[in-house]
Amino acid sequence: MLSLTMNDTAAELLGVLNGLAAVEPPGGLAPSLREYVAQGVVRRGNVLTWASSVGNAADTPSFFNDLTAWECSDSSFHLEDFVPVDVVTVDDAPVISSDDQRILLMHGVAFVLEFSRLVYALKPTSPVRCIVGANDTNATFRFHQIRPGESWNMPNLDSYRLDKMIVADIAPATT
């Protein structure tokens, strides 16, 4: 099962109430994001990580309170590093326009769909949560396994007042 949830500001910005075709990025997923997802994910002990990661949860520093936080930290990257959008600097801070945030969110959703193929190929299967967030300074993608009692994001996505949030839960059948 693939479940996609987003807060009202992300849904409004993407226009999903007008149909999911509006979410497809112009020209499809950015080639650099397609290359990034092609590296795959691997299971290292109790965690999932990018195949290219040198991270090892067995050596997790004490500032990670659980494996979910470790996975989110290790898997996180900035979408604006892979998608050509304008990031201007104002008063020494990056600024991304609402239009470019929309482009980043569209690529984030397309990336989640590509990433879901990796999750369905995992053996043994494991439910995974992908989190895409965009605001006026950056846009990020991260993932973690879904574990009882652990969560990276707040359940009420509308409580994120400054961020457009999209959460995708990928839960392959276990039978």
Side-chain angles (χ1 to χ4, degrees):
M1 173 176 33
L2 174 65
S3 172
L4 186 65
T5 308
M6 57 186 75
N7 66 3
D8 289 345
T9 57
E12 181 180 334
L13 188 64
L14 290 175
V16 296
L17 298 180
N18 299 323
L20 284 179
V23 178
E24 179 69 26
L29 183 64
S32 55
L33 283 175
R34 192 171 303 284
E35 290 171 16
Y36 198 84
V37 77
Q39 72 181 293
V41 294
V42 294
R43 189 178 311 278
R44 292 197 179 119
N46 294 323
V47 298
L48 291 179
T49 188
W50 294 111
S52 64
S53 172
V54 296
N56 181 344
D59 298 326
T60 303
S62 61
F63 57 83
F64 292 115
N65 57 344
D66 56 33
L67 294 175
T68 295
W70 186 94
E71 285 175 334
C72 282
S73 176
D74 191 66
S75 69
S76 178
F77 67 88
H78 284 257
L79 291 164
E80 70 273 14
D81 291 342
F82 295 87
V83 179
V85 294
D86 289 326
V87 181
V88 297
T89 303
V90 176
D91 295 328
D92 294 325
V95 177
I96 300 174
S97 72
S98 181
D99 287 343
D100 281 343
Q101 289 176 55
R102 182 176 183 274
I103 295 292
L104 292 167
L105 286 176
M106 291 184 340
H107 281 277
V109 170
F111 188 83
V112 165
L113 296 175
E114 287 291 321
F115 181 84
S116 68
R117 293 184 181 127
L118 301 176
V119 175
Y120 279 98
L122 285 171
K123 299 297 180 229
T125 61
S126 178
V128 174
R129 176 166 293 148
C130 297
I131 304 161
V132 178
N135 57 44
D136 61 357
T137 64
N138 66 69
T140 57
F141 170 89
R142 67 190 79 232
F143 68 84
H144 68 84
Q145 291 179 90
I146 299 172
R147 298 177 179 88
E150 294 183 22
S151 181
W152 183 86
N153 61 289
M154 293 183 281
N156 178 7
L157 297 182
D158 285 320
S159 65
Y160 291 93
R161 298 287 183 208
L162 301 176
D163 295 292
K164 289 85 178 170
M165 297 292 294
I166 300 171
V167 173
D169 287 350
I170 308 160
T174 57
T175 59

